[in-house]
Amino acid sequence: MAFLLFQLNSLRSRLLLLVLLAIAPSAIMTVINGTRERAHAVEVAEENLQRLTNLAAANEAQSIAAARQILRDLASIPDLMGDQAQCSRLLANIQRRNPDYVNFGLIQLNGDVTCNAVPSTNLVNLADRSHFRRAVHLKRFVAGGYIFGRVIQKHTVNLTYPVLDDDDRVQAVVFAALDLTKLDRFVADIQLPAGSLLLTADSEGKIISRKPEPEAWFGKQVSPEMRTAMAAEPGKPVLLTGPDGVERLHRFARVGSNGLSDYTVTIGIPADAITANARHDQLLDLLALSATIALALAAAWFVGDVLVLRRVKRLASTANSIASGVLEARSGIRYGKEEISELARALDAMAAALQEKERQHLKAQNQLREADRRKDEFLAMLAHELRNPLAPISAGAQLLQSGHATDAAVQRTAGIIVRQVHHMTRLVDDLLDVSRVTRGLVTLTRAPLDVSAIVADAMEQADPLFKSRQHRFAVELPPQPLVVMGDHKRLVQVLVNVLNNAAKYTPAGGAIKLAVRAEGGNVKLIVSDNGVGMSAELRGRVFELFAQAERSADRSQGGLGLGLALVKSLVELHGGTVAVDSGGEHQGSTFTITLPGAAPQQPSAPVPDRAATPSRRLRVLVVDDNIDAAQTLQLLLEAGGHQVSVSHTALAALDMAETTLPELCLLDIGLPDISGFELARRLRALPQTARATLVAVTGYGRREDRAQADQAGFDHYFVKPVDVDALLALIARLP
């Protein structure tokens, strides 16, 4: 078994190791708990020991305080300093009433004992006793150290009190000899563990009270270690080894306070007795833990084969089958609540998941191929849609360049070019709008809007397409005005895209209907047609990017497959939904736009731009590296009566600005030498153009480009192709 544990080359050996690891926390906690129990036992013993020590000290202090009171009363008796015989009878009478004291006496200032409760055959002089000298010097009660009485032949401590006259001068000292066997009566009243020790020592470290064997230890000196511990701060536990070799835990307490005595009491309990119960409990815990480990190892060794090993081999066989590509393989193990059943369930679930992932992988491959196909179709469609307007623009430009066109032909050609440029602009705007929406860069300007105003503006934009295809168009509006919170421009864009989509896929002469109604706090705009309809497959992806029905020759308006995707994104930004329904191919389609309704109030409507004629001629600087674009813009501005200078590089424009002093600068951003941003900063630095109006005219339309233009000092920002009406309106508003 030990070899298996070290090799760990079999599941059985690993099971044994797991059992040991599983039991290891219990073993560690057993040891920790045993250590904590011993520490707790020591802590409780220390608290109890200090309490007993304080009680013993208080008892002895009470005895000494009683002696002080007796001596104070004696010192106040006037006859004490009179006749010696009468004084001795008085002290003998007091001694009989206080049997704890073996003698009372009066000491003269020369040390002679002239009055004594116990008669003495010889003259006794106590001038050499420290307690006498301290009482004379301190003029207060003094508890002396250990004394073996010369007269009474007993172990005592002498307690002294000075006799003072009216001038507070010491006349004599009265003393009481306290029998030490009476001092430790408290010791007999308490029960201590076997081997415990209680003793009291005076200021010189001599024992004046002890349990056990007090008579044998009276007057003996305590050990140096005990003396040091007594001199330290009281209340601190100390482990000391006694003369008998027993290690004890000691606590200490002073006898009395305010100078009552210099005695110190200590109680020591054998250290082994403190933790005996905790050690016994820990031993039982260790025995139980050992039995548990033995049974667990036996179970892992013998039962593991039946309950674990065979089932694990079955799982391994299943895993090998799955690894070889047989994803239909399953363990066949009956699921339960134990771990191997969970492993079998997980293995079977993994096989099922792999099967599902394989199906998803194949599906993703198909979707990727479909997306790639749609991308190719979109690029081809984009090229086609851009070529369509370029053809009439190119033909019209050649006609104008020939110089043989009549005025009517010029006007007609100019109108064609304008319409085709607007068509191309809408295509590019759709691309930019989709890019902004997918990147979360669209900001809505919300305001209460009258739905009828949105419908009117959308109809105005869609009407030319309806008329060109001879569609019958009907509008159904509710009698009461409906209000929504939203961005007027974007909601018009949404409705126009849906109407144009209906027009593109409805044959010439077909019918299209727009109905507006309120339903459950929402406003619904329903566009229905009797056009080509949709298959179920197309309805599922009609709002995706680049999704389109099959194009035919009569649907010449085409588009890029962006409009409905843009509709869905913008409607959701307004907190609404859009849905499509169709009975199938050639059965028409119905688009339903649902928007949250708003409380009726004064709705806001967009203020139409009004082009104004310029109030005066302006000096204009046009900077563009595209020569055709610059010259076209020059011709447009000169036709409005402005003085225009043109430059195709930024550095040349700086030199030109110093001489022409332009009031309006139309700057491209992508210039060949330095960027339009840097050119704007330098124009702002020139005194000739510091206050000129700077307008960016660029093909960059990202939000970060606009932010950079603001930082560079531009006043306005136009994206190519320039909206001529908006540019002329801006120029007309300039001061």
Side-chain angles (χ1 to χ4, degrees):
M1 184 183 295
F3 175 76
L4 288 176
L5 286 175
F6 281 111
Q7 291 296 315
L8 293 178
N9 56 1
S10 69
L11 183 58
R12 180 178 283 111
S13 62
R14 288 177 170 84
L15 286 174
L16 295 176
L17 179 59
L18 286 175
V19 168
L20 292 177
L21 291 176
I23 298 177
S26 298
I28 294 172
M29 289 305 300
T30 299
V31 174
I32 292 175
N33 288 336
T35 303
R36 289 179 176 176
E37 288 179 5
R38 289 198 301 272
H40 181 67
V42 171
E43 183 179 351
V44 172
E46 289 177 353
E47 293 177 357
N48 293 334
L49 187 57
Q50 186 63 55
R51 186 167 56 254
L52 290 174
T53 304
N54 291 339
L55 288 174
N59 180 267
E60 294 184 3
Q62 187 176 4
S63 298
I64 295 174
R68 181 176 60 180
Q69 186 60 42
I70 294 172
L71 293 177
R72 181 185 290 128
D73 294 342
L74 284 175
S76 63
I77 299 175
D79 295 342
L80 194 66
M81 298 296 293
D83 182 65
Q84 293 185 6
Q86 184 178 355
C87 174
S88 296
R89 286 193 299 273
L90 175 62
L91 294 180
N93 185 39
I94 293 176
Q95 192 271 331
R96 283 193 299 272
R97 295 180 182 178
N98 296 277
D100 292 348
Y101 302 91
V102 295
N103 196 10
F104 287 93
L106 183 67
I107 310 173
Q108 300 298 325
L109 291 181
N110 61 1
D112 291 338
V113 179
T114 57
C115 179
N116 209 352
V118 179
S120 175
T121 56
N122 299 318
L123 181 64
V124 177
N125 187 281
L126 301 181
D128 60 332
R129 301 294 172 88
S130 62
H131 61 82
F132 166 70
R133 295 195 300 271
R134 291 180 61 201
V136 174
H137 176 68
L138 299 176
K139 298 182 181 181
R140 65 171 177 81
F141 173 81
V142 173
Y146 168 79
I147 295 293
F148 185 75
R150 299 175 185 176
V151 176
I152 57 179
Q153 297 295 305
K154 287 188 177 183
H155 302 285
T156 65
V157 289
N158 281 353
L159 311 173
T160 57
Y161 199 93
V163 180
L164 305 175
D165 60 11
D166 294 339
D167 296 328
D168 202 29
R169 290 176 298 187
V170 179
Q171 299 297 308
V173 175
V174 61
F175 74 91
L178 178 62
D179 189 351
L180 292 183
T181 60
K182 308 297 184 181
L183 178 64
D184 59 0
R185 283 182 301 176
F186 174 76
V187 177
D189 297 334
I190 64 173
Q191 296 296 324
L192 296 175
S196 299
L197 173 66
L198 185 150
L199 65 83
T200 306
D202 62 14
S203 60
E204 296 179 357
K206 293 181 180 181
I207 298 173
I208 60 175
S209 172
R210 190 181 192 277
K211 179 185 180 180
E213 302 174 352
E215 294 288 346
W217 289 90
F218 282 147
K220 291 188 177 180
Q221 194 76 29
V222 298
S223 65
E225 294 81 5
M226 178 71 76
R227 183 80 180 274
T228 302
M230 287 181 169
E233 184 69 22
K236 181 179 180 182
V238 179
L239 279 174
L240 296 174
T241 302
D244 54 0
V246 177
E247 186 180 44
R248 296 180 178 88
L249 178 67
H250 283 266
R251 297 298 291 264
F252 303 89
R254 302 281 188 245
V255 178
S257 59
N258 299 325
L260 181 66
S261 75
D262 295 329
Y263 306 155
T264 302
V265 176
T266 181
I267 298 179
I269 299 177
D272 290 340
I274 295 174
T275 58
N277 291 335
R279 291 199 309 274
H280 179 266
D281 293 341
Q282 188 177 23
L283 178 60
L284 293 179
D285 291 341
L286 291 175
L287 291 175
L289 180 64
S290 300
T292 302
I293 293 174
L295 291 175
L297 291 177
W301 182 265
F302 296 107
V303 184
D305 181 68
V306 177
L307 298 181
V308 178
L309 297 181
R310 295 178 185 177
R311 304 175 79 190
V312 169
K313 291 178 180 178
R314 194 167 180 179
L315 291 174
S317 176
T318 304
N320 289 330
S321 298
I322 295 172
S324 63
V326 184
L327 300 182
E328 298 81 8
R330 298 294 185 269
S331 65
I333 295 176
R334 184 176 180 180
Y335 300 150
K337 295 184 178 180
E338 35 78 33
E339 288 77 4
I340 292 184
S341 293
E342 291 295 329
L343 181 60
R345 183 185 288 108
L347 184 63
D348 294 343
M350 181 192 71
L354 287 176
Q355 280 187 296
E356 180 62 25
K357 285 185 179 296
E358 182 68 17
R359 287 192 293 268
Q360 292 179 357
H361 178 66
L362 294 175
K363 182 179 178 181
Q365 284 183 331
N366 294 332
Q367 290 176 341
L368 186 60
R369 293 192 190 98
E370 176 64 16
D372 188 60
R373 182 188 64 79
R374 286 165 58 186
K375 181 260 298 180
D376 292 339
E377 289 181 356
F378 168 73
L379 292 177
M381 189 188 311
L382 178 61
H384 176 269
E385 292 297 328
L386 291 177
R387 286 193 185 100
N388 277 343
L390 285 176
I393 291 174
S394 175
Q398 291 177 4
L399 176 62
L400 295 176
Q401 190 178 25
S402 67
H404 301 299
T406 64
D407 291 341
V410 169
Q411 291 296 328
R412 186 169 61 254
T413 301
I416 292 172
I417 293 175
V418 168
R419 285 195 300 274
Q420 297 304 321
V421 168
H422 285 169
H423 178 58
M424 291 183 67
T425 301
R426 284 196 299 272
L427 293 177
V428 175
D429 285 344
D430 282 348
L431 286 171
L432 292 176
D433 280 342
V434 169
S435 173
R436 294 189 190 101
V437 170
T438 54
R439 291 185 296 156
L441 301 181
V442 171
T443 302
L444 300 180
T445 304
R446 296 181 183 271
L449 303 174
D450 188 342
V451 176
S452 61
I454 298 173
V455 171
D457 288 351
M459 289 171 53
E460 181 181 354
Q461 295 186 33
D463 187 61
L465 183 57
F466 291 159
K467 290 180 177 179
S468 67
R469 298 179 63 81
Q470 299 177 349
H471 288 145
R472 300 187 305 278
F473 181 62
V475 179
E476 181 181 311
L477 293 174
Q480 299 296 329
L482 300 179
V483 178
V484 296
M485 290 295 294
D487 187 309
H488 181 89
K489 176 182 176 182
R490 291 300 183 181
L491 289 180
V492 170
Q493 181 182 7
V494 165
L495 189 54
V496 167
N497 281 353
V498 175
L499 292 173
N500 285 344
N501 183 79
K504 285 188 290 186
Y505 292 100
T506 299
I512 300 174
K513 179 181 179 181
L514 169 60
V516 180
R517 65 187 60 161
E519 185 175 308
N522 295 324
V523 175
K524 289 191 174 183
L525 293 87
I526 304 170
V527 177
S528 56
D529 62 65
N530 60 354
V532 298
M534 297 184 193
S535 64
E537 185 273 336
L538 179 59
R539 289 199 303 273
R541 61 181 180 85
V542 70
F543 294 109
E544 297 177 5
L545 284 174
F546 316 137
Q548 281 189 315
E550 221 178 297
R551 293 165 61 97
S552 59
D554 64 332
R555 284 175 226 127
S556 58
Q557 291 299 321
L560 301 178
L562 304 176
L564 294 181
L566 190 58
V567 165
K568 182 175 184 294
S569 299
L570 290 175
V571 169
E572 290 177 349
L573 284 176
H574 282 81
T577 59
V578 61
V580 63
D581 188 27
S582 175
E585 295 185 1
H586 307 294
Q587 297 187 39
S589 303
T590 300
F591 286 83
T592 302
I593 301 170
T594 304
L595 296 171
Q601 52 184 303
Q602 185 62 33
S604 64
V607 179
D609 291 334
R610 293 181 173 86
T613 57
S615 58
R616 64 184 180 86
R617 290 163 50 91
L618 296 177
R619 295 186 299 276
V620 183
L621 173 63
V622 176
V623 183
D624 196 329
D625 60 334
N626 187 318
I627 297 175
D628 291 338
Q631 290 179 353
T632 302
L633 195 55
Q634 179 184 15
L635 291 174
L636 175 66
L637 295 174
E638 287 179 345
H642 301 290
Q643 179 182 344
V644 183
S645 302
V646 177
S647 175
H648 303 301
T649 63
L651 297 179
L654 288 172
D655 295 336
M656 188 177 295
E658 294 181 359
T659 58
T660 60
L661 308 178
E663 300 166 278
L664 172 65
C665 299
L666 305 178
L667 311 179
D668 188 18
I669 299 299
L671 296 172
D673 42 5
I674 60 175
S675 72
F677 301 131
E678 179 62 25
L679 174 58
R681 281 189 283 267
R682 295 191 184 184
L683 288 173
R684 286 293 184 214
L686 291 175
Q688 296 88 343
T689 54
R691 302 184 62 182
T693 300
L694 303 186
V695 179
V697 180
T698 176
Y700 301 121
R702 300 178 305 169
R703 184 170 61 180
E704 48 267 36
D705 297 324
R706 294 176 182 270
Q708 193 172 356
D710 291 339
Q711 295 174 359
F714 279 101
D715 299 300
H716 303 281
Y717 198 96
F718 283 86
V719 178
K720 294 179 180 179
V722 177
D723 186 337
V724 175
D725 292 337
L727 178 60
L728 294 178
L730 169 65
I731 295 175
R733 291 195 302 268
L734 294 179

